[in-house]
Every structure is written in structure tokens, then in C-alpha cells.
């Protein structure tokens, strides 16, 4: 039954090329030979009788949060010069266009070079473009954000998130611990930070005991 449909499709293709496409008579033998060659190749390598199998999307790797689509826990402004650039970047990132997501924020930084949220967003976009790994360019973006406003919680929060996703658990623990120590008790991001820090420390396991001092 499958081969009947294959043959019918080949016949329709040939008819379309010759009559609808107005293929010149001199070129028809060559087109027919190409079509027969394609059918021969499918007959040798194709498996039309196999049942269909839908492709299952792979699960996202376990981590400590999403670097780009995170709600930012009240750390960035919802309105203002950075909001529209972040929204466009997030839209590209959700469709897998991570390079465009980073380029969008670079364009925004050309206009607002001292905006902390745009620098943090660029760091997040570069982490996503690198497959969840902290790259030198992403680390530089987080550093630039921290330089603009050392008291801003977003640069250390997302830098620690990128470290954790990259496997640098000790580095993430140090950055997040420092951020938690200087976060107000009523900070909107504190509860989320405490949860992530607890998960991080659980993943790290017990600390190894310090090496005993050696004798002379």
C-alpha cells in the first residue's frame, strides 16, 4: 500500500514537471531519469513500512533555574529603557535564537551603556547561547553590571546561577552566600535565593574535613 502512494506521488511529480512546468521535450528524458534514480535510492534505503515514532523533546538538564526566562525576582525594572530590550531578547531566547537574544541586548547597551539590567540580561543571554555554561564573555557582562551598581542584587544572583549551572558549585555558594548576607529581610528575592542556596548546598554534600597539620 505504501509503494502505491510512492508510485502515485512520483507520477504526479513527473506530470507536474512536464505539463504544468512546461518542461522542454529535450529535457524530459533527463528529468525522468533523475526521478527514477530518486525512486531507486528510496527503494534501497527507505523503510516506508516501519511504524511512525514521534520525536520526544529531550528534558532540560537539571539545574538551579533558567538563566534567561527567570522572573528576575523583582531585581529588574518592569518599565523603563531596559524593559523593551529584555522583552525582545526573551522572545528570541524562547524560540532558541540565543544569538539574536544576545545581539538585541548589545544593541540596547549601545543606547544605554550604564544600564545594569541590560548588562545582566546580556550575561544571561550569553550563558544560554553557550549551552548553560559560564563563558568569559558572560562573566565579563556580569562584572560590568556589578561595576555599574555594586549594591544591585541581580549581578551576583545571576552570576551565581550561571556558576551553578556550569558546575562551579563552590563559586556559586560563595557568591550567593555573600548576596544573602547583605539582602534585607523583606527583599522580594530573598526567599527564592534561600531556596536555591539550600538546593546548592545539598548538591555539594558535606564539606571535606581540613587536612591535619603535618609534623616537622
Amino acid at each position: 500500500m505504501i509503494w502505491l502512494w510512492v508510485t502515485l506521488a512520483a507520477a504526479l511529480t513527473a506530470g507536474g514537471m512536464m505539463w504544468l512546468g512546461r518542461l522542454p521535450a529535450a529535457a524530459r528524458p533527463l528529468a525522468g531519469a533523475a526521478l527514477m534514480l530518486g525512486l531507486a535510492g528510496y527503494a534501497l534505503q527507505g523503510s516506508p513500512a516501519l511504524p511512525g515514532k514521534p520525536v520526544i523533546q529531550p528534558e532540560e538538564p537539571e539545574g538551579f533555574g533558567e538563566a534567561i526566562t527567570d522572573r528576575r525576582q523583582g531585581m529588574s525594572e518592569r518599565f523603563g529603557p531596559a524593559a523593551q530590550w529584555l522583552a525582545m531578547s526573551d522572545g528570541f531566547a524562547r524560540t532558541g535564537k540565543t544569538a539574536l537574544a544576545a545581539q538585541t541586548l548589545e544593541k540596547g547597551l549601545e543606547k544605554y551603556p550604564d544600564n545594569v539590567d541590560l548588562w545582566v540580561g546580556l550575561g544571561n543571554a550569553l550563558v544560554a547561547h553557550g549551552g548553560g555554561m559560564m563563558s568569559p564573555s558572560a562573566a565579563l557582562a556580569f562584572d560590568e553590571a556589578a561595576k555599574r551598581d555594586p549594591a544591585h542584587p541581580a549581578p551576583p544572583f545571576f552570576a551565581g546561577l550561571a556558576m551553578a549551572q556550569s558546575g562551579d558549585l563552590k563559586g556559586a555558594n560563595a557568591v550567593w552566600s555573600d548576596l544573602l548576607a547583605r539582602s534585607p529581610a523583606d527583599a522580594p528575592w530573598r526567599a527564592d535565593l534561600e531556596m536555591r542556596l539550600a538546593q546548592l548546598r545539598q548538591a555539594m554534600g558535606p564539606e571535606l574535613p581540613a587536612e591535619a597539620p603535618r609534623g616537622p
Side-chain angles (χ1 to χ4, degrees), residues 27 59 63 128 130 135 167 169 215:
E59 296 182 358
S135 63
L169 303 187

Side-chain angles (χ1 to χ4, degrees), residues 50-73:
L50 290 178
K53 184 178 180 181
V55 178
I56 301 176
Q57 184 176 1
E59 296 182 358
E60 296 181 358
E62 295 182 1
F64 298 93
E66 298 180 358
I68 282 195
T69 58
D70 196 282
R71 297 178 182 177
R72 297 186 175 88
Q73 302 299 328

Side-chain angles (χ1 to χ4, degrees), residues 108-123:
L109 283 167
E110 291 178 3
K111 192 173 183 180
Y112 305 102
D114 293 324
N115 190 283
V116 176
D117 295 329
L118 289 178
W119 279 111
V120 172
L122 178 60

Side-chain angles (χ1 to χ4, degrees), residues 3-95:
W3 285 108
L4 176 62
W5 289 108
V6 172
T7 304
L8 180 61
L12 291 175
T13 302
M17 287 190 300
M18 293 180 183
W19 287 285
L20 296 180
R22 297 180 180 180
L23 195 67
R28 290 178 183 179
L30 182 60
L35 186 61
M36 294 302 296
L37 183 61
L39 287 174
Y42 183 75
L44 292 174
Q45 299 184 5
S47 302
L50 290 178
K53 184 178 180 181
V55 178
I56 301 176
Q57 184 176 1
E59 296 182 358
E60 296 181 358
E62 295 182 1
F64 298 93
E66 298 180 358
I68 282 195
T69 58
D70 196 282
R71 297 178 182 177
R72 297 186 175 88
Q73 302 299 328
M75 297 182 188
S76 64
E77 55 186 41
R78 293 187 177 183
F79 308 98
Q84 59 177 341
W85 296 101
L86 290 169
M88 287 190 293
S89 177
D90 287 351
F92 286 129
R94 290 190 187 98
T95 58

